């Protein structure tokens, strides 16, 4: 009895699964709306879209690969130039789609969203411009027509030369130190623990020159380094302090102390000026309040009482002759 009851349920469930699977097989073959040449309204624009997509992908790949530390300006300027050239070409296409619309309209305006435009905006505005590449690179020629060439500006070129000089010094000092260790195994024991490492002593001048130039430009008004330089300098300082364990030059510490003193003095001066103006404002408000209260007093309507009566005044004003003679 139980078997006869369960058997129909199992058969019904199996047939339901079979129908669902059959429908899935039928419709899965058409998944993706079948955009082949016969049904694609914009088939004539596919090659231009692929070219633009390839340039966008190359720029995005370069930016991600050179993001730690950020080095988009120095490492990806070729990909950026190629992308700008392809963007310009895609914005001036006269090839027509099946409904007689230019491929430029199809790519950028025909639909609710244009992924090509969003990608170009992100790569141009969110990556290239936010990296302040214009503060490092000088662009000659025309990006749109593929005639652009790039050069480092003067401050970035100077920074690059100082950085390479410091790196060469580190490499040479490391090699010298290793050779000294091989020739004299006790060289480390002969060096006092409080003395700076050999590499630090050997290359401190080069590091100071690099940092002084960077700090001079960094603190100057209306002048900026691109993000590439700032990130590279941060990594260089971390390498100098955290990896090589080199201490700051005393001049650097004095400079930091001067900055702290200047900030403290400016803050104290601002507080004093603020208190002065606050006191003046409070005093002015009190004076205005007293003046308003005084101006609102009612005028005295009654006449003042006379100290002398009218008869007394008449006596002094017009004395009788007899009284004066009698006196």
């Amino acid at each position: 009895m139980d078997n006869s009851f369960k058997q129909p349920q199992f058969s019904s469930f199996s047939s339901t699964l079979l129908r669902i699977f059959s429908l899935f097989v039928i419709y899965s073959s058409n998944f993706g709306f079948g955009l082949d040449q016969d049904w694609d309204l914009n088939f004539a624009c596919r090659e231009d879209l692929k070219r633009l997509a390839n340039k966008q992908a190359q720029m995005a790949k370069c930016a991600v690969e050179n993001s730690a530390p950020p080095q988009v300006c120095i490492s990806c300027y070729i990909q950026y130039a190629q992308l700008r050239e392809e963007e310009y070409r895609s914005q001036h296409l006269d090839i027509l789609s099946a409904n007689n619309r230019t491929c430029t309209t199809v790519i950028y305006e025909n639909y609710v969203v244009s992924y090509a435009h969003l990608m170009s905006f992100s790569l141009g505005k969110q990556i290239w411009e936010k990296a302040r590449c214009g503060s490092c690179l000088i662009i000659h020629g025309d990006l749109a027509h593929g005639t652009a060439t790039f050069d480092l500006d003067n401050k970035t070129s100077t920074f690059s030369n100082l950085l390479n000089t410091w790196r060469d010094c580190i490499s040479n000092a490391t090699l010298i130190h290793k050779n000294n260790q091989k020739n004299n195994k006790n060289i480390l024991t002969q060096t006092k623990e409080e003395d700076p490492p050999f590499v630090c002593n050997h290359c401190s001048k080069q590091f100071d020159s690099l940092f002084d130039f960077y700090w001079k430009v960094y603190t100057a008004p209306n002048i900026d380094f691109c993000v590439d330089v700032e990130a590279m300098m941060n990594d260089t300082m971390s390498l100098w302090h955290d990896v090589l364990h080199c201490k700051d030059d005393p001049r650097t510490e004095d400079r930091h102390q001067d900055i702290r003193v200047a900030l403290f003095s400016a803050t104290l001066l601002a507080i004093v000026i603020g208190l002065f103006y606050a006191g003046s404002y409070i005093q002015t408000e009190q004076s205005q309040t007293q003046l308003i209260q005084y101006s609102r007093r009612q005028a005295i309507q009654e006449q003042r009482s006379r100290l002398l009566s009218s008869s007394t005044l008449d006596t002094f004003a017009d004395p009788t002759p007899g009284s004066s003679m009698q006196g």
Side-chain angles (χ1 to χ4, degrees), residues 21-221:
F21 180 75
S22 300
L23 292 174
F24 175 78
V25 171
I26 293 173
Y27 288 105
S28 63
S29 61
N30 293 326
F31 188 75
F33 307 110
L35 281 179
D36 54 13
Q37 183 175 357
D38 296 332
W39 304 103
D40 188 0
L41 191 65
N42 306 311
F43 182 79
C45 306
R46 291 298 164 191
E47 291 301 321
D48 296 297
L49 275 170
K50 289 180 180 179
R51 291 181 56 175
L52 179 60
N54 287 333
K55 299 303 179 182
Q56 290 176 340
Q58 292 174 9
M59 178 63 189
K61 180 176 181 292
C62 182
V64 174
E65 289 179 348
N66 294 278
S67 60
Q71 295 291 294
V72 172
C73 305
I74 306 300
S75 302
C76 303
Y77 63 91
I78 295 177
Q79 289 81 354
Y80 177 75
Q82 293 175 350
L83 173 61
R84 290 293 303 275
E85 181 183 0
E86 187 60 34
E87 285 176 352
Y88 179 82
R89 199 188 70 83
S90 66
Q91 294 169 1
H92 298 81
L93 295 172
D94 54 3
I95 303 173
L96 298 178
S97 63
N99 59 345
N100 293 325
R101 296 188 178 183
T102 64
C103 288
T104 298
T105 302
V106 170
I107 294 173
Y108 293 103
E109 302 176 9
N110 202 36
Y111 297 98
V112 176
V113 60
S114 171
Y115 298 129
H117 173 71
L118 292 177
M119 283 295 298
S120 295
F121 178 83
S122 298
L123 294 171
K125 298 291 184 181
Q126 301 297 325
I127 295 180
W128 185 263
E129 291 188 7
K130 281 194 173 182
R132 302 193 299 272
C133 294
S135 298
C136 287
L137 299 175
I138 300 175
I139 302 176
H140 306 282
D142 188 3
L143 283 170
H145 295 87
T147 61
T149 58
F150 295 80
D151 288 321
L152 294 177
D153 67 349
N154 292 332
K155 64 180 183 300
T156 307
S157 179
T158 302
F159 176 84
S160 178
N161 293 333
L162 292 173
L163 178 64
N164 291 330
T165 300
W166 174 77
R167 287 176 174 176
D168 292 340
C169 180
I170 295 295
S171 299
N172 294 332
T174 303
L175 181 61
I176 294 173
H177 187 58
K178 288 182 178 179
N179 292 333
N180 290 337
Q181 285 181 323
K182 291 180 180 179
N183 297 330
N184 187 359
K185 295 182 179 180
N186 296 325
I187 188 172
L188 294 179
T189 60
Q190 294 175 359
T191 304
K192 296 181 180 179
E193 294 182 357
E194 63 270 13
D195 290 342
F198 175 80
V199 175
C200 302
N201 279 332
H202 194 74
C203 301
S204 60
K205 182 178 179 181
Q206 288 78 359
F207 180 81
D208 291 340
S209 298
L210 173 64
F211 181 83
D212 288 343
F213 175 77
Y214 174 82
W215 186 255
K216 179 181 178 181
V217 176
Y218 185 80
T219 56

Side-chain angles (χ1 to χ4, degrees), residues 232-264:
M232 185 57 64
M233 189 63 202
N234 288 335
D235 281 7
T236 300
M237 294 180 66
S238 297
L239 179 63
W240 181 255
H241 296 300
D242 301 334
V243 178
L244 298 176
H245 304 290
C246 299
K247 297 181 180 180
D248 284 331
D249 186 79
R251 293 178 302 165
T252 304
E253 296 179 358
D254 293 340
R255 179 166 54 246
H256 292 167
Q257 181 67 22
D258 293 340
I259 294 174
R260 287 192 291 267
V261 171
L263 291 176
F264 176 78

